[in-house]
Amino acid sequence: MRIFPFKTNLWDRFFYGISIMFGLHLIWVRFLEQYVPLYVATVGSLIFLAILVITG
Amino acid sequence: MKENRKQVWGLIAPTLFLMIFIGVIPVIYVIYLSAFKYNVFAKIPFRYTGFNNFRKLVFDPDFLKSLRLGLTFVALCCGIELPLGLLIANLLTLNFKGKGIFRTIMTLPLAMAPISIGSIWVLITNPDFGPLPFLFRKIGIEYNMGINANQAFFTTVLVDIWHWTPFVVLTFMAGLTSLPNQPYEAALVDGANRWQTFRYVTIPLLKPVILTTLFIRVMDTFRVFDEVWMLTSGGPGTATRYVSIHLVRMVLQSMEYGYSSAMSLFLLYLTIIICFLLLTFISSSQEAT
């Protein structure tokens, strides 16, 4: 099952993954950090990045 | 084969070197700086802070205000420039007297440097002798963008529209002249009127050009600097302090290099996201046509 609805190569997926990771961290810091530590976002987004790079 | 590969690398090496030198290395340096509190006048000028600059960024009311202002500026400028450009480009496909002169005069602002445009508009909007305040006074409106925040904001929008609509017109004209004739002939046979032809033939055929122009304009408008800096310097107060102006003020006045680096990285990120979304639209619309 693909995450993106369009064709991507490895570099694209890595780039989009990093961009999503950065955005997620910023949103986390702004709205969630006072309740849940930032490490949760880092671990979660790293897992997401791995899935994204593998499945596309 | 090996010789050929060497030749290829030899040919692209100068460009590659330039790209790395002026593109990649500065970005890496900015990423590095964004993790530090770097102020040359501080007691300890260089201190590692990790993600703290970004943490400060998302809670900084000045930055968030400038971002909101910048996005409003982009929406207003692109929202006016594109329909206006499309209208003028369509009018220029008709034959009328003085068309050539009109086209030449219309493209003149494009040939000017943005900083000169800022200086020209400083004179035009001068409350003592400028023609714009004079005209406004005639209709009973007191115009002074040095003290009125709304007037200053809308003047910067007006200047951007005045400067960049010709560019939009030129790209749309290039797009319109390259459209095929057959769909228009079919629309004529089907009895479509001028509006229907425009709505159901011209617009769909021109969609890739419209999206590409929007893409260029969004990027340019988002990082507008020279004209606004010359015209208002971000004032009065913070009424026209768009993101790039806020960034320059942070670097030049506050000397917060680390924080400014984080800010510019965030702007780069935002631009990439907007461009990515627009590019996805462009490629999907090109696949559809």
Side-chain angles (χ1 to χ4, degrees):
Chain A
M1 202 189 94
R2 272 173 29 183
I3 292 173
F4 286 119
F6 45 86
K7 247 184 164 178
T8 50
N9 61 31
L10 186 70
W11 166 245
D12 286 340
R13 292 198 290 273
F14 190 70
F15 179 73
Y16 297 147
I18 294 285
S19 303
I20 293 168
M21 223 175 134
F22 183 68
L24 182 79
H25 273 78
L26 286 176
I27 292 168
W28 199 281
V29 164
R30 180 72 174 86
F31 299 107
L32 293 170
E33 206 188 8
Q34 44 190 328
Y35 312 111
V36 194
L38 193 62
Y39 296 110
V40 179
T42 311
V43 173
S45 50
L46 277 174
I47 294 168
F48 176 72
L49 180 69
I51 296 168
L52 192 75
V53 167
I54 295 163
T55 57
Chain B
M1 189 69 188
K2 223 173 187 179
E3 271 300 301
N4 199 11
R5 192 172 284 178
K6 262 185 190 170
Q7 201 179 2
V8 169
W9 275 109
L11 286 169
I12 63 166
T15 318
L16 207 64
F17 175 74
L18 261 178
M19 269 179 66
I20 291 170
F21 198 70
I22 63 172
V24 181
I25 292 174
V27 171
I28 292 170
Y29 187 59
V30 165
I31 294 171
Y32 170 73
L33 271 187
S34 69
F36 288 86
K37 188 175 171 62
Y38 181 30
N39 187 335
V40 277
F41 297 114
K43 202 174 174 186
I44 308 164
F46 211 67
R47 205 171 56 208
Y48 179 74
T49 56
F51 203 66
N52 273 354
N53 280 327
F54 292 99
R55 201 166 272 130
K56 187 179 165 187
L57 189 75
V58 289
F59 287 103
D60 182 356
D62 290 337
F63 173 71
L64 293 176
K65 192 191 172 189
S66 72
L67 190 66
R68 205 169 48 238
L69 263 177
L71 290 172
T72 316
F73 181 74
V74 172
L76 268 175
C77 289
C78 295
I80 296 172
E81 277 167 26
L82 266 84
L84 188 66
L86 191 59
L87 180 78
I88 298 173
N90 264 292
L91 289 176
L92 283 173
T93 54
L94 305 172
N95 280 323
F96 58 90
K97 214 177 170 186
K99 181 180 159 182
I101 296 173
F102 176 75
R103 210 159 48 184
T104 313
I105 294 172
M106 189 198 66
T107 47
L108 277 180
L110 271 186
M112 290 187 215
I115 204 92
S116 333
I117 285 184
S119 324
I120 291 167
W121 277 85
V122 165
L123 295 175
I124 292 175
T125 55
N126 188 298
D128 295 325
F129 55 80
L132 200 66
F134 174 76
L135 290 173
F136 272 118
R137 225 172 287 134
K138 287 269 180 202
I139 54 168
I141 299 169
E142 198 51 52
Y143 176 90
N144 188 346
M145 65 164 195
I147 52 171
N148 190 318
N150 283 334
Q151 285 176 357
F153 177 76
F154 285 109
T155 306
T156 56
V157 173
L158 178 73
V159 172
D160 196 82
I161 292 167
W162 180 81
H163 189 186
W164 290 108
T165 305
F167 167 76
V168 179
V169 173
L170 286 182
T171 49
F172 283 165
M173 272 176 68
L176 282 169
T177 47
S178 65
L179 293 184
N181 267 334
Q182 291 89 336
Y184 287 95
E185 286 162 3
L188 200 68
V189 170
D190 289 343
N193 60 29
R194 276 181 76 92
W195 166 250
Q196 285 168 331
T197 313
F198 178 72
R199 169 73 185 79
Y200 297 105
V201 180
T202 309
I203 298 274
L205 285 177
L206 212 60
K207 204 175 162 192
V209 181
I210 294 173
L211 284 171
T212 311
T213 315
L214 179 69
F215 173 69
I216 297 169
R217 285 309 302 138
V218 165
M219 275 199 302
D220 278 353
T221 324
F222 198 61
R223 54 192 172 86
V224 66
F225 177 73
D226 320 44
E227 298 151 27
V228 183
W229 181 259
M230 200 63 206
L231 201 61
T232 62
S233 302
T238 54
T240 55
R241 195 182 284 189
Y242 305 127
V243 231
S244 47
I245 291 180
H246 183 68
L247 184 60
V248 168
R249 277 181 179 271
M250 284 305 293
V251 175
L252 296 181
Q253 290 174 357
S254 309
M255 302 277 177
E256 294 267 9
Y257 297 120
Y259 182 50
S260 309
S261 302
M263 205 183 280
S264 45
L265 265 184
F266 178 74
L267 293 182
L268 177 70
Y269 174 72
L270 212 63
T271 315
I272 287 172
I273 295 295
I274 295 170
C275 293
F276 164 69
L277 291 175
L278 279 170
L279 270 176
T280 314
F281 275 124
I282 292 170
S283 46
S284 61
S285 78
Q286 271 169 345
E287 273 167 24
T289 49

